[in-house]
Amino acid sequence: LHGIGSGSGSWLMQLEAVARQSHRVGVLAWEAPGYGASTPVRPLTPLATDYAARLWAWLDTLGVRQPITLVGHSLGALMAASAAVAEPERVARLVLLAPAQGYGQADATLRQQKRHDRLHALQTLGPQGMASKRGAAMLSSHASTQQLTFVQHIMAQVNPAGYTQATHLLSQGHIAADLKLCRAPVAIASGRTDGITPMAGCQSLAKTLGVSWHDLGDVGHACPLEGAPQVNALLGLTDRVTA
């Protein structure tokens, strides 16, 4: 499950890893409701539960009934955590990459400011402008030009209406509350140079929950791309698995 300024294409390196492997593992990368050609959720100011319900309906349509490893990156972590609580028997493992924790428990003024800042940037810059201005913040300073171009390409395709709904989710979300109810094994991972969901916050969340934190190295927020080898190993998408 991808982040707020992203899409299913952000999992390209994981999909390519599956194509190269000798053992069989299936990977599904969704477009969140309101992204790509996906139908938005109904509420204009949705909660994580609205996205969770759509996730399970999507997997039902695809005939996926066996327990899965559910992976959420950034905002997708809020959706994934809610989904794991809603259908616990269907989640064998929950992996949260650079998880956004949400502002649901923050001071009302801060919560409103964070929401306003994102929506103002969308309204004034548009998806293409946001991609040009914010794309570099998704990566470390030593990321390649190709990685930056790819991140900007994905971000520029964001649907404004879907991004607006996702912004409301972020402002109301509280991932720790869901994770405290989660019955599946949980792993949290992030990069050392992530300026969007800093390492210290991810480590603190893991410590609070009593779960493992995995170091993805000197990579930025777009860790499925920039830290692909480490992420793929964590997810078991390489022939030689490490955890």
Side-chain angles (χ1 to χ4, degrees):
L1 313 185
H2 62 77
I4 190 170
S6 195
S8 62
S10 65
W11 301 104
L12 176 63
M13 301 303 289
Q14 287 63 55
L15 294 165
E16 288 188 344
V18 170
R20 293 192 299 266
Q21 69 180 342
S22 60
H23 62 284
R24 184 175 181 180
V25 176
V27 172
L28 296 170
W30 85 333
E31 295 283 7
Y35 286 70
S38 182
T39 304
V41 291
R42 284 184 174 273
L44 293 178
T45 57
L47 301 174
T49 51
D50 297 303
Y51 291 90
R54 280 286 296 276
L55 171 68
W56 294 122
W58 178 64
L59 291 174
D60 286 343
T61 299
L62 294 174
V64 178
R65 297 298 307 179
Q66 71 272 27
I68 60 172
T69 294
L70 185 56
V71 185
H73 173 239
S74 195
L75 185 74
L78 281 163
M79 303 175 189
S82 181
V85 172
E87 299 278 358
E89 71 284 354
R90 300 180 69 174
V91 180
R93 184 187 184 208
L94 180 64
V95 179
L96 307 178
L97 304 174
Q101 299 189 39
Y103 296 100
Q105 296 297 300
D107 175 83
T109 300
L110 175 62
R111 188 164 62 249
Q112 182 177 359
Q113 185 63 51
K114 292 291 186 179
R115 182 171 61 242
H116 172 269
D117 289 348
R118 279 193 176 273
L119 295 180
H120 180 71
L122 175 65
Q123 292 161 5
T124 56
L125 299 174
Q128 183 67 58
M130 287 198 308
S132 297
K133 186 174 181 178
R134 301 168 64 96
M138 295 285 289
L139 298 161
S140 71
S141 60
H142 53 264
S144 69
T145 300
Q146 292 92 335
Q147 288 171 336
L148 176 58
T149 299
F150 185 74
V151 165
Q152 290 175 327
H153 172 71
I154 296 293
M155 192 179 293
Q157 298 179 64
V158 164
N159 183 317
Y163 185 95
T164 297
Q165 285 185 305
T167 297
H168 287 294
L169 163 61
L170 180 61
S171 70
Q172 301 176 89
H174 182 213
I175 196 170
D178 278 332
L179 291 176
K180 288 177 181 178
L181 301 174
C182 181
R183 290 173 11 201
V186 178
I188 296 174
S190 61
R192 290 180 172 268
T193 57
D194 186 337
I196 296 177
T197 57
M199 177 179 67
C202 296
Q203 289 176 319
S204 178
L205 177 63
K207 183 177 180 180
T208 296
L209 298 169
V211 303
S212 58
W213 173 79
H214 297 261
D215 183 357
L216 298 178
D218 293 328
V219 301
H221 189 62
C223 52
L225 172 67
E226 193 179 4
Q230 302 92 303
V231 169
N232 291 348
L234 178 63
L235 300 182
L237 301 183
T238 55
D239 285 326
R240 187 174 183 178
V241 179
T242 60

